[in-house]
């Protein structure tokens, strides 16, 4: 069930790029205005994730996930009826961002990790991510079909209703009482303080910045980039669908590789591969073949970073405060997400091209690999988290 919730929440987010052209056409807003709202969504999600993770770690994840889905639904509904770009920013940015903090992988993965024994966690996170990836893949044609047949406003309202119904399934992620006691806040603060005082924790967050920047830029701007180059709408939908389809195998493989090898080593290679994919996409002539090849490579490395990043945190600190500590690392990811969404729109409005951002994505892949390579992921459970299970 965790995978289905992740698939729904991330599938909707991954499909926001499909809404950009019709919203811009219907409302007359600039791409930068729409991109800024999506950028604030990333920032709200990232800044709220440590808080939501801490609540989930202290009191259990099921209620947090259910509440997140309801807030997500509110954001989608108000997004559909926003009369101006300010209202659109509040609904798309704040409400949906807070919803994602409650019901996306940051909280769900922590719940799943506490439900399985340590030796199976990498596989469990990989399977959860793979199911989530399948959900994301299925969401894209659903969203595309709804937008085409009913319009973007009705599509958002229908999805808001779906999130309300799906919130009822969050109870399945309740941890057994013995696995999720209410813990003293002092112990949690000690664990967080110790992690924040360590170089490797900061390197992990800095590397995660790249992931957020790259994914946000591709998700929100690839369909518009392709439309600018004369490709049909279905081409952009197919490209995003290929990313989500390849993501299914990529997440599962990364989860298993994280069990077999040191997660930080796999992350280093993953970012090198992703940087090379961006560079090749820029250099090669743009065609459907090069686009689909790029989409497949991106999909294989897309959200595989999440179980691997969780894997590094698990090795370092155990599972007791996984949602909380991942939340702090995730702030780096979402600062990157803010940059990828907003800079893409700003660069296009300023230069009429996305070229500089494509090159930035390639360079950031190398930078992220350089940040992950020196991480020492030798287990060092903090004193405040004496029970690593």
């Amino acid at each position: 069930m965790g995978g289905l919730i992740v698939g729904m929440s991330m599938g909707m987010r991954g499909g926001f790029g499909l809404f950009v052209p019709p919203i811009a056409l219907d409302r007359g807003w600039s791409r930068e205005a729409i991109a800024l709202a999506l950028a604030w969504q990333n920032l709200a999600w990232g800044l709220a994730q440590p808080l939501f993770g801490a609540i989930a770690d202290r009191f259990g994840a099921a209620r947090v996930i259910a509440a997140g889905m309801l807030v997500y639904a509110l954001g989608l509904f108000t997004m559909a009826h926003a009369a101006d770009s300010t209202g659109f920013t509040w609904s798309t940015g704040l409400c949906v961002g807070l919803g994602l903090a409650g019901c996306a992988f940051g909280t769900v993965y922590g719940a799943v990790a506490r439900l399985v024994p340590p030796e199976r966690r990498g596989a469990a996170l990989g399977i959860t991510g793979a199911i989530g990836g399948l959900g994301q893949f299925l969401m894209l044609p659903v969203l595309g079909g709804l937008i085409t047949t009913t319009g973007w406003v009705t599509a958002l309202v229908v999805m808001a209703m779906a999130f309300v119904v799906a919130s009822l399934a969050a109870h399945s992620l309740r941890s057994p009482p013995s696995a999720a006691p209410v813990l003293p806040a002092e112990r949690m603060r000690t664990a967080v303080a110790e992690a924040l005082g360590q170089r490797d924790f900061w390197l992990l967050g800095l590397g995660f910045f790249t992931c957020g920047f790259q994914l946000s830029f591709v998700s929100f701007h690839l369909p518009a980039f392709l439309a600018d180059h004369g490709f049909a709408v279905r081409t952009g939908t197919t490209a995003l669908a290929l990313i989500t389809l390849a993501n299914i195998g990529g997440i599962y493989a990364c989860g298993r590789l994280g069990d077999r090898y040191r997660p930080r080593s796999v992350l280093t290679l993953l970012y090198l591969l992703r940087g090379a994919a961006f560079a090749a996409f820029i250099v090669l002539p743009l065609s459907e073949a090069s686009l689909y090849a790029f989409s497949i490579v991106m999909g294989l490395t897309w959200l595989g970073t999440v179980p691997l990043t969780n894997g590094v945190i698990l090795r370092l600190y155990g599972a007791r405060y996984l949602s909380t500590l991942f939340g702090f690392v995730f702030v780096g990811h979402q600062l990157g997400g803010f940059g990828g969404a907003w800079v893409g729109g700003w660069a296009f409005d300023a230069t009429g091209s996305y070229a500089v951002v494509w090159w930035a994505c390639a360079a950031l892949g190398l930078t992220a690999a350089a940040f992950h390579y020196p991480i020492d992921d030798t287990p060092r459970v903090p004193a405040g988290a004496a029970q690593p299970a």
Side-chain angles (χ1 to χ4, degrees), residues 7-381:
M8 190 170 181
S9 62
M10 294 301 296
M12 183 67 228
R13 178 184 178 270
F16 277 136
L18 300 176
F19 289 86
V20 172
I23 291 175
L25 180 64
D26 192 27
R27 294 288 194 251
W29 300 333
S30 69
R31 288 191 192 176
E32 183 181 2
I34 299 173
L36 184 60
L38 296 172
W40 280 113
Q41 177 191 114
N42 281 295
L43 193 59
W45 180 9
L47 294 178
Q49 191 65 68
L51 174 62
F52 280 64
I55 296 171
D57 282 340
R58 268 199 93 192
F59 303 110
R63 293 176 182 174
V64 174
I65 294 169
M69 299 193 80
L70 292 176
V71 174
Y72 204 137
L74 176 63
L76 294 176
F77 184 82
T78 54
M79 177 181 169
H81 296 91
D84 53 38
S85 59
T86 301
F88 185 79
T89 298
W90 278 103
S91 57
T92 310
L94 183 63
C95 284
V96 175
L98 292 177
L100 283 162
C103 66
F105 46 71
T107 307
V108 172
Y109 276 28
V112 171
R114 284 187 287 270
L115 290 172
V116 297
E119 65 274 9
R120 293 176 50 201
R121 282 175 181 155
L125 294 178
I127 292 171
T128 300
I131 296 172
L134 178 61
Q136 293 175 63
F137 171 72
L138 296 176
M139 281 284 287
L140 285 171
V142 169
L143 291 174
L146 283 173
I147 293 171
T148 300
T149 58
T150 69
W152 66 271
V153 173
T154 302
L156 288 172
V157 172
V158 169
M159 291 310 304
M161 296 170 60
F163 270 82
V164 172
V165 174
S167 67
L168 302 174
H171 72 90
S172 63
L173 294 175
R174 288 180 297 180
S175 300
S178 60
V182 176
L183 300 171
E186 293 78 8
R187 289 174 58 189
M188 181 177 291
R189 284 196 293 267
T190 300
V192 171
E194 292 187 11
L196 290 175
Q198 295 171 355
R199 181 205 66 163
D200 296 316
F201 192 78
W202 283 96
L203 287 176
L204 195 62
L206 289 170
F208 220 16
F209 175 95
T210 288
C211 183
F213 189 100
Q214 293 171 331
L215 268 59
S216 181
F217 172 68
V218 171
S219 295
F220 296 146
H221 294 288
L222 181 61
F225 168 79
L226 295 173
D228 293 339
H229 285 77
F231 289 92
V233 174
R234 67 163 182 82
T235 305
T237 304
T238 302
L240 292 178
L242 281 174
I243 289 174
T244 56
L245 183 61
N247 182 48
I248 299 170
I251 293 179
Y252 178 73
C254 286
R256 296 306 297 265
L257 288 171
D259 276 342
R260 187 170 182 180
Y261 304 103
R262 296 175 69 176
R264 66 94 172 164
S265 300
V266 183
L267 278 168
T268 300
L269 293 174
L270 184 150
Y271 281 113
L272 286 173
L273 177 60
R274 192 188 285 177
F278 274 103
F281 185 66
I282 300 165
V283 172
L284 294 174
L286 181 60
S287 65
E288 288 195 6
S290 67
L291 168 66
Y292 295 154
F294 170 76
S295 299
I296 292 171
V297 175
M298 282 299 297
L300 291 173
T301 64
W302 193 250
L303 288 180
T305 56
V306 177
L308 290 170
T309 300
N310 275 279
V312 174
I313 297 173
L314 283 166
R315 280 178 63 91
L316 290 173
Y317 310 113
R320 176 67 72 199
Y321 301 111
L322 177 60
S323 294
T324 304
L325 295 178
F326 177 80
F328 279 95
V329 172
F330 193 65
V331 172
H333 185 283
Q334 292 309 95
L335 288 173
F338 180 94
W342 175 67
V343 171
W346 171 84
F348 181 85
D349 284 349
T351 68
S353 170
Y354 290 111
V356 66
V357 192
W358 285 110
W359 279 112
C361 287
L364 283 171
L366 299 178
T367 303
F371 280 134
H372 283 90
Y373 181 75
I375 291 176
D376 177 11
D377 55 2
T378 303
R380 63 187 84 164
V381 178

